[in-house]
């Protein structure tokens, strides 16, 4: 039998599956609607609000990088380039929805209700950064890549058992889709038909490792096939496509039709984190330039300007507002009292069940701190 | 009161809690219609429904994540890990996540999760079923670790674990599941976590132990009594946090102690107990505190269990070394 003649059509099967995951785009790089039938038809106010949030988030990124360089912020994972993926997906959510973010997904929880000052405290490494206000359904950014996926399956099952009309949404990157917890998370949610939305933000690189070294799969969206869940690959630099995919996944979820997987094809303009990563070691300026043309803010600006909904004055106002809010938030973060060991001990357990070793150590440190 | 084996007492505790608190959920691999691989959850799905007692896909990490997520929606999850040797698959969910949920949220969120899991040797299980890995858990801040040795303790400690507002790892020794019966009250009762129990009073030597080694130590105490030694046996019951007060009071009375565990010498919690005694009661000691533990090899092939696992003879021998120091 010749090697290239197969009895089973395994190769054809794969090709057929992979061909079904074509990238969906609604708004092209020129700001033109290319798939009118998919247009979410947001109101003028909604479109403007989405743009305001994206511009605000771009400024937040610029200021965060600068504050990090000044030593006024700690851990920071840049977000520029991912505004459509992060902000437009969040824009499709409701207040009742839970967000389980990864370490790069601070903007989503900020727009969900976490005060900016707390986001800054989280970056610096202060426990108050994790004290999200009551009723703001978010976890702190997850550092263990994939853990947020299995936990999302649990939150979604919880929402389902409570009979709530809400979803659990989580994010990981392209590298994260190689983790076991990534697969277990989508598979558990599928088995329980729970209201979860799993988003892979494929920004092409996991630190220095390019997307193609994570898997031979043509798309990351097709990984949903393994769990038997509806999956889609969208242009992650296109706010309308990301919004529409998330909204549709949310509608399916709250109707009891189970979880979905969304791959957003996007790009981070900055380094992986501010902890010494140098993207010029693994990325070319040509690639940066090519993706620069796809910038979600540029194309959305063009779209809104053509509709007469946006201009330079409006954008300047957002930028000024963002800078003022950031300044105030940093000031607020500065005013938060320094952490003491007794603080750390007292947030370990329920007040009524502090273990004896910690009770002893509490006394020891209280004494130390009183001097 | 009823005569119960430890496994019946565990089922009874689960039943009490499922009845008393509608937020209690029991789930894991084959815990539903099958009633668990050891019948620990027998009849519970039938009584409380598939919404409360349910099976999961075969993935320990996913089970851990499920428990954390359900806790965030206000449930009180009681997941099962089929054998504790499989804990490596779910180490992140337990030690990396569950243990620190309250802390990382600055005290705002909590994880009232009780992980039940069987372990322990002497019944010729296949690989990775009987390993004593409680030492790994005991080293993780944020988790309490409970190991009962009797039906009565198992029920009261499990109810207390489920009601605790922070994560508890509840380890059930396979050999003790059905090895004997004991009077167990039918109603709910709790035994405070972090409290040891003096299973036998004595004045010459303290044996500090937990799990199946409690029974080996009691047997050894009887042997030693025949030779005129009065031995106190302390069942730790909770191995994290340790009941320092009970341990130290006993050592101050007897002035001699050994610590007995089934785990390898480099594992378990015996070294921690010895260190606490050294720090707090060295002036009471007439002899060093010695340990009875398994050899520092991988858990034995089933046929080698009898020569590898510590038993009452090892306890007697080590006790004599200390008594005759």
């Amino acid at each position: 039998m010749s090697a290239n003649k197969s009895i089973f059509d395994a190769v054809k099967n794969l090709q057929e599956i992979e061909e079904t995951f074509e990238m969906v785009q609604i708004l092209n790089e020129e700001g033109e609607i290319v798939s009118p039938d998919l247009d979410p038809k947001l109101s003028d106010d909604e479109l403007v609000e989405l743009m305001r949030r994206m511009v605000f988030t771009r400024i937040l990124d610029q200021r965060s990088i600068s504050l990090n360089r000044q030593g006024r912020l700690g851990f920071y994972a840049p977000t520029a380039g991912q505004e459509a993926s992060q902000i437009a997906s969040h824009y499709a959510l409701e207040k009742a929805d839970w967000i389980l973010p990864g370490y790069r997904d601070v903007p989503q929880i900020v727009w969900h209700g976490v005060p900016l000052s707390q986001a800054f405290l989280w970056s610096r490494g202060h426990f108050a950064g994790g004290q999200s206000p009551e009723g703001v359904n978010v976890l702190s950014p997850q550092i263990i890549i994939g853990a947020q996926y299995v936990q999302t399956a649990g939150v979604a099952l919880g929402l389902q058992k409570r009979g709530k009309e809400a979803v659990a949404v989580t994010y990981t990157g392209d590298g994260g889709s190689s983790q076991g917890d990534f697969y277990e998370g989508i598979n558990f949610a599928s088995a329980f038909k729970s209201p979860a939305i799993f988003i892979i933000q494929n920004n092409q690189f996991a630190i220095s490792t390019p997307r193609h070294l994570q898997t031979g799969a043509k798309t990351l969206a097709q990984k949903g096939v393994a769990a038997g869940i509806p999956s889609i690959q969208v242009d992650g630099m296109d706010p309308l496509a990301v919004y529409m995919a998330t909204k549709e996944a949310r509608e399916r979820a709250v109707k009891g039709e189970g979880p979905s997987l969304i791959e957003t094809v996007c790009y981070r303009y900055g380094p992986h984190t501010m902890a010494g990563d140098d993207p010029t070691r693994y990325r070319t300026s040509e690639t940066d330039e090519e993706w620069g043309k796809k910038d979600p803010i540029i194309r959305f600006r063009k779209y809104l300007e053509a509709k007469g909904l946006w201009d330079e004055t409006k954008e300047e106002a957002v930028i000024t507002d963002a800078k003022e809010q950031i300044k105030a938030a940093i000031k607020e973060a500065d005013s938060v009292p320094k952490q003491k060991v007794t603080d750390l001990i007292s947030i370990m357990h329920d007040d009524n069940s502090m273990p004896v070793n910690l009770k002893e150590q509490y006394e020891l440190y209280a004494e130390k701190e009183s001097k | 009161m009823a005569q119960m084996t430890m496994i019946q007492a565990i089922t009874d505790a689960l039943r009490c809690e499922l009845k008393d608190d509608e937020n209690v959920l029991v789930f894991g691999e084959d815990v539903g219609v099958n009633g668990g691989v050891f019948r620990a959850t027998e009849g519970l799905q039938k009584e409380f429904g598939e919404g409360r007692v349910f099976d999961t896909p075969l993935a320990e990490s996913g089970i851990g994540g499920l428990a954390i997520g359900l806790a965030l929606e206000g449930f009180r999850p009681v997941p099962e890990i089929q054998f504790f040797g499989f804990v490596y698959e779910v180490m992140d969910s337990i030690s990396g996540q569950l243990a620190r949920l309250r802390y990382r949220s600055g005290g705002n969120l909590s994880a009232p999760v009780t992980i039940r899991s069987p372990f322990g040797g002497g019944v010729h299980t296949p690989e990775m079923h009987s390993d004593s890995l409680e030492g790994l858990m005991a080293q993780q801040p944020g988790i309490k670790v409970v190991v009962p040795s009797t039906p009565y303790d198992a029920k009261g400690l499990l109810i207390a674990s489920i009601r605790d507002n922070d994560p508890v790892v509840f380890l059930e020794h396979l050999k003790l599941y059905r090895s004997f019966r004991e009077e167990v009250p039918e109603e709910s009762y709790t035994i405070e976590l972090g409290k040891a129990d003096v299973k036998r009073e004595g004045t010459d030597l303290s044996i500090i132990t937990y799990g199946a080694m409690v029974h080996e130590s009691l047997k050894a105490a009887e042997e030693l009594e025949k030779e005129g030694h009065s031995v106190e046996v302390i069942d730790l019951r909770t191995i994290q946090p340790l009941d320092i007060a009970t341990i130290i009071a006993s050592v101050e009375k007897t002035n001699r102690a050994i610590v007995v565990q089934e785990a390898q010498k480099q594992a378990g919690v015996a070294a921690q107990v010895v260190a606490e005694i050294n720090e707090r009661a060295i002036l009471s000691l007439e002899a060093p505190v010695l340990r009875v533990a398994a050899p520092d090899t991988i858990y034995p092939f089933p046929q080698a269990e009898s020569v590898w696992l510590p038993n009452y003879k090892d306890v007697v021998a080590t006790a004599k070394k200390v008594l005759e120091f």
Side-chain angles (χ1 to χ4, degrees), chain A residues 55-110:
Chain A
V55 171
F56 190 111
T57 306
R58 179 65 60 88
I59 299 303
L60 177 60
D61 182 70
Q62 289 168 2
R63 292 300 303 140
S64 296
I65 288 172
S66 158
L67 287 161
N68 167 281
R69 289 198 174 124
Q70 295 165 33
R72 299 187 71 194
L73 281 182
F75 177 80
Y76 181 67
T79 60
Q82 297 189 205
E83 291 83 0
S85 175
Q86 297 183 320
I87 306 305
S89 61
H90 175 262
Y91 200 56
L93 305 182
E94 300 290 335
K95 180 85 182 155
D97 297 337
W98 268 94
I99 301 178
L100 289 90
Y103 54 76
R104 201 181 302 280
D105 303 311
V106 173
Q108 294 96 307
I109 61 171
V110 165

Side-chain angles (χ1 to χ4, degrees), chain A residues 142 161 164 181 184 350 360, chain B residues 51 61-62 73 97 166 280:
Chain A
Q142 179 57 251
K161 284 185 177 294
K164 291 184 183 171
D181 274 357
E184 289 186 29
D350 189 279
E360 213 177 88
Chain B
S61 188
E73 264 300 307
Q97 307 291 330
D166 291 301
R280 294 163 198 270

Side-chain angles (χ1 to χ4, degrees), chain A residues 273-308:
Chain A
T273 67
M274 295 304 293
D277 176 46
D278 174 11
T280 62
R281 292 170 76 108
Y282 53 86
R283 266 184 353 208
T284 61
S285 54
E286 289 79 51
T287 320
D288 283 354
E289 210 173 294
E290 184 195 320
W291 282 93
K293 289 180 202 149
K294 299 180 198 283
D295 191 319
I297 291 179
I298 294 175
R299 75 172 78 174
F300 205 40
R301 187 190 288 131
K302 284 180 183 166
Y303 174 64
L304 294 189
E305 278 175 351
K307 283 171 95 76

Side-chain angles (χ1 to χ4, degrees), chain A residues 190-203:
Chain A
S190 172
F192 291 114
K193 226 175 179 190
S194 302
I197 302 175
F198 297 98
I199 298 177
I200 306 172
Q201 301 187 83
N202 171 7
N203 66 15

Side-chain angles (χ1 to χ4, degrees), chain B residues 89-106:
Chain B
E89 298 283 345
V90 62
M91 278 299 278
D92 178 57
S93 279
I94 300 175
S95 297
Q97 307 291 330
L98 194 52
R100 53 202 301 145
L101 184 66
R102 186 185 289 276
Y103 181 83
R104 74 191 294 267
S105 66

Side-chain angles (χ1 to χ4, degrees), chain B residues 115 125 179 272 276:
Chain B
I115 296 171
T125 59
S179 57
Q272 184 70 14
E276 293 287 354

